[in-house]
Amino acid sequence: MNSIAITRALLSVSDKTGIVDLARTLADRGVELVSTGGTAKALRDAGLAVRDVSELTGFPEMMNGRVKTLHPMVHGGLLAVRDDAEHVAAMTEHGIGAIDLVVVNLYPFEATVARGAGRDEVIENIDIGGPSMVRSAAKNHAHVAIVTDPADYALLAEGSTTLEQRRMLAAKAFAATAAYDSAIAQWFAFADQGETFPATLPLAFTRADELRYGENPHQSAALYLPKGPAARGIAQASQLQGKALSYNNYNDADAALELVSEFRDGPPTVVVVKHANPCGVASADTLLEAYEAAFACDTVSAFGGIVAVNRPLDGATARAIAGIFTEVVAAPDADDEARAIFAAKKNLRLLLTGELPDPARPGLAIKSIAGGLLVQSRDGGRLGELKVVTKRQPTAQELADCRFAWTVAKHVKSNAIVYASGGATAGIGAGQMNRLESARIAAWKARDAAEKAGWAQPRTIGSAVASDAFFPFADGLLAAVEAGATAVIQPGGSIRDDEVIAAADEAGLAMVFTGMRHFRH
C-alpha cells in the first residue's frame, strides 16, 4: 500500500488558513468532501459541494458541538485495515465508507488561555473529537493520510499520498496531539490546581533550529522553544547579522541577557560575558561610559566575548564594542548608526531582544542528569532588608556598591566573589572549589586590570565585595581586606559567623547579611 488515491476526505479545522484552496484542489480531482460545522459553512460559502458528517453518522451534531465525529461511521472509516478481509466485511455489513484523508487542526486551547479567558471557556476549548480523529488516522497511516499542519497542504496537490508521506504526517500528528495534551495538563496542574511540581511534568517544545554543533564539535545540538506563550528571551531575539549562533553562543548570550535584565529599570548598563560568566559589568550615565568601565575590568577575557546592554545601542557604543573581536551583541534595539557600524563586522552577531525579560518572573529551571531531570523554581530572589552585623555601618556609597556587587554575584558561577566600586565590577572570581581562591583570583584580576589601564591602584581599593554564599572561615574575608575592600555583603548563616564578624570588626569593615544565597552551579 504505497501510493493511495484520495477518494474521500474529512475536513474539520479550527484554523481555516488555506482550507478553501485545498478543498477546491481536492474537489477538482473528484474527491468527496465531508466536513463539520464552521468548516463546512466556509467551504459551502466558497461554492464547494460538501457532505455533512451528520449524513455519515445519522446523528446531528449535538451538545453544542461536543458530539459530532465520535461515531463508528467516522472512526470505522479511519481505522479499518483495507487489506484485512474481516475489516472489509465489517465495513460492508455496516455501510461504513473508507476515509482516505483527514485534515484537522484543534480547538485553540492555548490561545484561549493566553487571552485570559474564564475557566468555563477554557474547558470548552479542550478538543475531544479532533484528537480522536487525528490519532485514529495516524494509527492507520498505512491506509489513511492525516494532515494537522497547513504547511503540509501542498503534499496533497496530486490527489494521492505515498506511504513515506503518510508516515511523516502520522509522526507530526502524534507530536501535535502530545503537545496539545501537554498544554492542557500544564494548565490544569499550574493554573487550575496551583501545583509547583506536579506528579507528572508534561513539557512540549518545538524545534526552532538545528545548530552547527553542540558544546563541542563532536556533539550535535538544536534549539527548542516551548509550545505556547513564553517570556521573551535570547531564544526569541531577532538576529540582524552574522553567522548562525552556536550552542555556546546561545548559552553565553542567555547568561549575558539574564544579568543585564537585572538592570532593566536602572541606569545604562553593559555586561560582558565569557564562557557563561560575567567578566565585566558596569552602570554609568551613558552606554559608552558603562561599556568602557565594564571592558576595563578584564580586557583579556572580553576578547571573543558576549556583550549585552539594557538600552538601545547608539553609534558611539557600537564603535567601541567593534574595536575588539566580539562574538555576539544583544540589545533591546539599535539605531541606524550602530547597525551600520556592526554591518562592517560580518562575523559579529547582532541580536535585538525587544523588551528585556523580567528577572523576577516565575518559572522552572531544568537540568538533565544521568537517568532523570532536576527541576527547581527559578532564582528570582530579590534583596530585602539588609542586616548590618558589624560595628561600623556602611556608607551610602558602600551600600550601593554592595547591592551592585550582589546582583552581579547572583550570575557568577559558584564559588563566586565579586568586587565592585562606583557601579562597576573591579574583579570577579568564579567557579573555584573554595571561596578563598575565588577571592584571591578576583583580587589578582583587579590588579592586572589596573596595570593594563595604567591606574595608580586597582579598583578593589575602597570597594565592596559580594560572596554568593557565606564565608565559612575568616580567611576569605581577610583576602578581601588585603585586596582593599571596605564593605562586605554575604548571606550569613555559617557556624563561624561570629569569627567572621569579629575579623571584619578588627579590620574596620562594614558588613551586611542578606539571609539569602545565590549558588549558581
Side-chain angles (χ1 to χ4, degrees):
M1 300 294 292
N2 187 9
S3 181
I4 294 179
I6 303 167
T7 58
R8 177 187 278 177
L10 196 163
L11 314 179
S12 181
V13 295
S14 177
D15 176 4
K16 296 177 176 53
T17 303
I19 195 64
V20 171
D21 290 340
L22 171 62
R24 185 172 286 116
T25 297
L26 295 172
D28 288 346
R29 291 187 173 276
V31 177
E32 179 187 8
L33 304 179
V34 181
S35 191
T36 63
T39 306
K41 181 180 184 304
L43 299 183
R44 288 196 182 99
D45 289 346
L48 293 165
V50 182
R51 189 178 181 189
D52 285 319
V53 163
S54 58
E55 292 182 48
L56 293 186
T57 65
F59 280 84
E61 295 185 17
M62 62 181 71
M63 301 176 186
N64 297 322
R66 281 190 170 198
V67 179
K68 50 192 172 188
T69 59
L70 297 170
H71 194 281
M73 297 300 286
V74 174
H75 286 272
L78 296 176
L79 287 166
V81 177
R82 312 298 167 77
D83 52 5
D84 184 304
E86 185 178 337
H87 286 209
V88 173
M91 292 175 74
T92 301
E93 179 183 355
H94 298 287
I96 298 173
I99 299 172
D100 309 302
L101 168 67
V102 177
V103 180
V104 169
N105 51 60
L106 309 176
Y107 292 173
F109 177 83
E110 290 168 291
T112 303
V113 171
R115 63 179 170 80
R119 190 179 193 278
D120 289 347
E121 186 178 354
V122 168
I123 296 300
E124 283 307 310
N125 275 276
I126 297 175
D127 202 330
I128 301 301
S132 299
M133 287 192 293
V134 169
R135 291 174 63 82
S136 291
K139 176 176 180 175
N140 201 26
H141 62 269
H143 308 278
V144 182
I146 170 64
V147 176
T148 56
D149 183 353
D152 292 323
Y153 290 174
L155 297 176
L156 309 173
E158 300 301 317
S160 62
T161 58
T162 66
L163 179 58
E164 182 180 6
Q165 288 172 333
R166 294 193 299 276
R167 290 175 65 175
M168 179 274 292
L169 292 169
K172 287 186 69 170
F174 278 119
T177 57
Y180 193 72
D181 285 341
S182 170
I184 295 168
Q186 287 186 59
W187 178 82
F188 269 106
F190 300 127
D192 192 59
Q193 297 299 304
E195 295 182 87
T196 301
F197 302 111
T200 298
L201 182 61
L203 301 176
F205 290 79
T206 302
R207 190 186 67 225
D209 196 12
E210 289 192 45
L211 309 181
R212 287 177 296 151
Y213 52 82
E215 206 164 4
N216 299 289
H218 62 274
Q219 295 172 270
S220 55
L223 171 66
Y224 282 82
L225 303 180
K227 290 282 289 182
R232 282 196 60 85
I234 211 68
Q236 288 76 28
S238 299
Q239 183 173 350
L240 259 61
Q241 65 169 73
K243 58 187 178 181
L245 292 165
S246 70
Y247 178 97
N248 290 334
N249 292 151
Y250 271 113
N251 190 52
D252 291 349
D254 177 67
L257 185 66
E258 288 280 23
L259 175 46
V260 85
S261 294
E262 299 275 3
F263 300 92
R264 68 177 190 164
D265 299 321
T269 300
V270 174
V271 171
V272 185
V273 161
K274 190 69 169 290
H275 294 176
N277 268 310
C279 56
V281 184
S283 296
D285 292 334
T286 67
L287 273 185
L288 177 59
E289 292 172 309
Y291 174 74
E292 290 171 342
F295 174 70
C297 183
D298 188 346
T299 57
V300 174
S301 299
F303 185 85
I306 312 289
V307 175
V309 302
N310 70 342
R311 294 283 190 281
L313 270 170
D314 57 88
T317 307
R319 191 172 293 106
I321 294 172
I324 67 162
F325 171 56
T326 301
E327 289 272 11
V328 179
V329 177
D333 204 346
D335 66 20
D336 291 342
E337 185 182 3
R339 296 183 189 210
I341 290 167
F342 284 145
K345 300 286 185 178
K346 64 179 183 178
N347 289 327
L348 183 148
R349 292 88 152 185
L350 176 58
L351 305 180
L352 300 186
T353 64
E355 182 181 3
L356 298 179
D358 180 0
R361 67 190 183 276
L364 298 177
I366 299 172
K367 178 182 176 64
S368 64
I369 59 172
L373 295 175
L374 290 174
V375 181
Q376 64 176 343
S377 59
R378 291 188 71 259
D379 183 2
R382 319 302 292 168
L383 272 179
E385 185 176 350
L386 300 178
K387 180 182 179 182
V388 179
V389 295
T390 50
K391 295 175 182 177
R392 186 171 76 78
Q393 295 279 325
T395 66
Q397 183 60 57
E398 286 175 331
L399 200 55
D401 287 338
C402 279
R403 290 182 176 277
F404 182 89
W406 179 257
T407 301
V408 175
K410 175 183 173 183
H411 295 265
V412 177
K413 302 291 185 182
S414 298
N415 286 311
I417 292 291
V418 176
Y419 295 91
S421 178
T425 52
I428 300 173
Q432 299 306 303
M433 288 69 74
N434 67 73
R435 201 159 299 280
L436 175 59
E437 290 305 310
S438 290
R440 286 171 171 168
I441 289 171
W444 172 81
K445 291 172 81 70
R447 291 193 298 272
D448 186 62
E451 289 177 10
K452 286 182 168 61
W455 298 331
Q457 60 184 22
R459 290 192 298 193
T460 50
I461 304 299
S463 68
V465 61
S467 174
D468 64 340
F470 59 68
F471 285 103
F473 300 96
D475 54 2
L477 183 81
L478 294 175
V481 172
E482 186 178 342
T486 60
V488 180
I489 182 169
Q490 60 138 319
S494 168
I495 60 173
R496 294 184 175 85
D497 273 351
D498 289 345
E499 175 186 327
V500 174
I501 293 169
D505 281 334
E506 185 175 348
L509 297 178
M511 185 161 64
V512 295
F513 282 2
T514 67
M516 174 190 297
R517 77 178 190 195
H518 281 308
F519 271 161
R520 192 176 186 88
H521 288 103

